[in-house]
Amino acid sequence: MFGRLLPKEGRFFDLFNAHAAQIVRAAHELALLMQNYESREDREQHSRVIDDAEHAADRITAETIRMLHKTFITPLDRDHIHQLVNAMDDICDLIQDSTQVMSLYDLKRITPEAARLADIGVKCCERVRDVVEQVGKQDGNFEAILRTCEEIDRLESDADRVMRSGMSKLFREEQDTREIIKMKEVYQLLEAVTDRCLDVANLAEGISLENS
């Protein structure tokens, strides 16, 4: 009798999906910022949207944690819920950090490699959205989840290669030490976005295995 009166389940999967939507929104805006970098007005507009997405993601994260404290019976292991929403939040934070560093350092130009990393980030974030949605389905297909996780892994490896190529080119061709320092940090932040996407994929795969 007592168990039936306790709060159960909660809207955890709805919150995960809402958070993933903000991640994709931020990633798309970052790619657009890169494409329109020469226009200060466009950069500022895209940065504002990224900030808005990051703040929305923070609110969703906070709501998820509050619900976790109030819900007696959760659809997933409590640690998994906590780890998953925080790993997702890290993605949005890194996207915002990338734009803030470019603004703070007054970066003069965007290299093809930086733009390519942003594009890979979009694809990775879209796959994160897909895998989170798959985990939340009652009849979740583990094979489909595994395929999406493998795709995220491939994209993360692509990002590693692009970053190494960009770094090598930067140290060979850039004469201004300050520009090397600036772009090196931008590369690292952009590549870290895909690292965090892979973290989410690994968590999703583990959750699916334990709950299949």
Side-chain angles (χ1 to χ4, degrees):
M1 177 68 178
F2 177 69
R4 290 200 298 272
L5 298 176
L6 294 171
K8 301 179 182 180
E9 294 292 333
R11 298 182 298 108
F12 291 106
F13 294 120
D14 290 341
L15 292 171
F16 291 153
N17 290 333
H19 197 302
Q22 296 302 327
I23 290 172
V24 172
R25 180 186 175 205
H28 276 285
E29 290 297 322
L30 178 60
L32 288 170
L33 183 150
M34 297 291 199
Q35 294 170 20
N36 300 286
Y37 195 80
E38 292 182 3
S39 167
R40 179 177 291 275
E41 183 178 347
D42 284 347
R43 290 204 309 267
E44 290 175 352
Q45 178 183 345
H46 294 307
S47 293
R48 284 194 296 270
V49 177
I50 290 169
D51 287 343
D52 184 66
E54 193 276 335
H55 295 152
D58 278 347
R59 290 192 295 271
I60 295 167
T61 299
E63 185 177 351
T64 304
I65 300 303
R66 284 195 299 270
M67 187 178 293
L68 193 57
H69 289 305
K70 294 190 297 183
T71 305
F72 183 71
I73 300 174
T74 56
L76 302 174
D77 181 89
R78 290 176 178 276
D79 284 343
H80 286 160
I81 292 172
H82 196 276
Q83 291 169 11
L84 184 59
V85 76
N86 280 303
M88 291 170 68
D89 208 44
D90 286 345
I91 299 171
C92 254
D93 288 343
L94 284 165
I95 292 172
Q96 185 188 48
D97 289 347
S98 300
T99 61
Q100 289 179 343
V101 162
M102 287 187 279
S103 176
L104 179 66
Y105 287 171
D106 192 24
L107 204 66
K108 300 303 182 186
R109 63 186 179 87
I110 294 297
T111 65
E113 290 80 12
R116 175 64 180 145
L117 283 170
D119 289 339
I120 294 172
V122 170
K123 293 177 182 177
C124 251
C125 291
E126 289 174 342
R127 298 294 82 74
V128 163
R129 176 195 59 198
D130 295 344
V131 80
V132 167
E133 182 180 359
Q134 290 163 352
V135 167
K137 291 179 179 177
Q138 294 297 323
D139 57 345
N141 184 334
F142 179 70
E143 293 302 320
I145 290 171
L146 186 60
R147 285 194 299 271
T148 307
C149 291
E150 288 172 347
E151 187 173 354
I152 292 171
D153 186 48
R154 287 194 296 271
L155 288 165
E156 191 274 337
S157 295
D158 288 345
D160 279 344
R161 286 191 289 272
V162 171
M163 186 184 72
R164 288 195 296 269
S165 174
M167 290 283 202
S168 176
K169 183 178 177 182
L170 186 66
F171 283 104
R172 286 197 316 270
E173 300 180 4
E174 180 58 62
Q175 301 301 313
D176 189 334
T177 304
R178 291 172 301 179
E179 290 301 312
I180 292 175
I181 294 170
K182 293 177 186 179
M183 189 54 69
K184 180 174 180 287
E185 184 166 353
V186 170
Y187 283 155
Q188 289 172 334
L189 285 168
L190 292 171
E191 195 277 333
V193 169
T194 63
D195 287 341
R196 297 293 82 73
C197 288
L198 184 57
D199 289 343
V200 171
N202 289 334
L203 281 167
E205 184 177 337
I207 289 168
S208 298
L209 275 172
E210 289 193 19
N211 291 275
S212 59

